[in-house]
C-alpha cells in the first residue's frame, strides 16, 4: 500500500486520564475515564475520538460511492457509537454501531450504498473481523 498521509499523535500523563496531542497541534485535548467506567468523565475519551473519526471516515466513503452511483445523498448523516467492555479474556473489546441517515434515497439504493461504503471505508476495513459492528440504514423513502 502506498501511504498518502500519516497522522501522528502522542499520549502523556496517565493514559485515559492524560493528554493527547497531534504532532501538528491541530488536536490537543485532555482525556478522562468516563463516569460509567469509574472516572470523572469531565474530558474526552478514546472511544469518543474513535467514534468521531469513524463517523467522518464512513461518511466520506459513503459520499464517494454515492458520487460513483450518481445518487443524491443530500442531508445524509452518519452517527457512530463506540462501546467498550470486558472481552472475557482479561482485556477489553469494542463494539461499533453506525446509523446512516439517507433521507433522499430510496431504501434499496441506500442499503447498497452503505454496503459499498463499508467496503471502501478504511475504518471498516481495519475493524472487520475484529470489532462487532452493526450498520443501520434510515431513509425517508
Amino acid at each position: 500500500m502506498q501511504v498518502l498521509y500519516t497522522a501522528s499523535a502522542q499520549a502523556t500523563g496517565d493514559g485515559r486520564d492524560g493528554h493527547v496531542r497531534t504532532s501538528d497541534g491541530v488536536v490537543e485535548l485532555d482525556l478522562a475515564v468516563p463516569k460509567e467506567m469509574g472516572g470523572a468523565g469531565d474530558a474526552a475519551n478514546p472511544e469518543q475520538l474513535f467514534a468521531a473519526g469513524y463517523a467522518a471516515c464512513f461518511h466520506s466513503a459513503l459520499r464517494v460511492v454515492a458520487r460513483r452511483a450518481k445518487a443524491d445523498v443530500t442531508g445524509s448523516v452518519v452517527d457512530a457509537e463506540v462501546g467498550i467492555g470486558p472481552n472475557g479474556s482479561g482485556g477489553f473489546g469494542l463494539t461499533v454501531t453506525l446509523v446512516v441517515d439517507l433521507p433522499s434515497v430510496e431504501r434499496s439504493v441506500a442499503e447498497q450504498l452503505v454496503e459499498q461504503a463499508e467496503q471502501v471505508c478504511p475504518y471498516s476495513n481495519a475493524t472487520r473481523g475484529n470489532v462487532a459492528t452493526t450498520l443501520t440504514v434510515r431513509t425517508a423513502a
Side-chain angles (χ1 to χ4, degrees):
M1 179 179 91
Q2 177 189 0
V3 175
L4 301 175
Y5 170 76
T6 300
S8 179
Q10 182 180 67
T12 57
D14 293 328
R16 288 180 166 277
D17 276 319
H19 188 84
V20 291
R21 181 184 188 283
T22 56
S23 59
D24 60 6
V26 170
V27 176
E28 184 164 3
L29 352 132
D30 290 328
L31 299 177
V33 174
K35 288 180 182 179
E36 297 83 351
M37 295 175 65
D42 58 354
N45 64 64
E47 290 70 39
Q48 291 171 324
L49 298 174
F50 189 70
Y54 206 153
C57 190
F58 197 90
H59 201 200
S60 288
L62 178 68
R63 294 181 69 76
V64 165
V65 299
R67 199 167 29 255
R68 290 177 188 161
K70 296 181 178 21
D72 178 13
V73 293
T74 301
S76 60
V77 175
V78 176
D79 292 312
E81 297 176 358
V82 174
I84 184 171
N87 66 8
S89 300
F92 289 84
L94 299 174
T95 62
V96 171
T97 299
L98 296 176
V99 179
V100 183
D101 284 302
L102 290 162
S104 59
V105 180
E106 178 189 318
R107 180 153 206 64
S108 63
V109 172
E111 289 173 349
Q112 290 175 350
L113 292 173
V114 169
E115 287 176 22
Q116 292 170 5
E118 203 269 334
Q119 296 302 309
V120 170
C121 175
Y123 277 65
S124 294
N125 288 331
T127 60
R128 190 175 298 112
N130 299 309
V131 176
T133 303
T134 302
L135 293 171
T136 300
V137 179
R138 293 194 294 214
T139 64

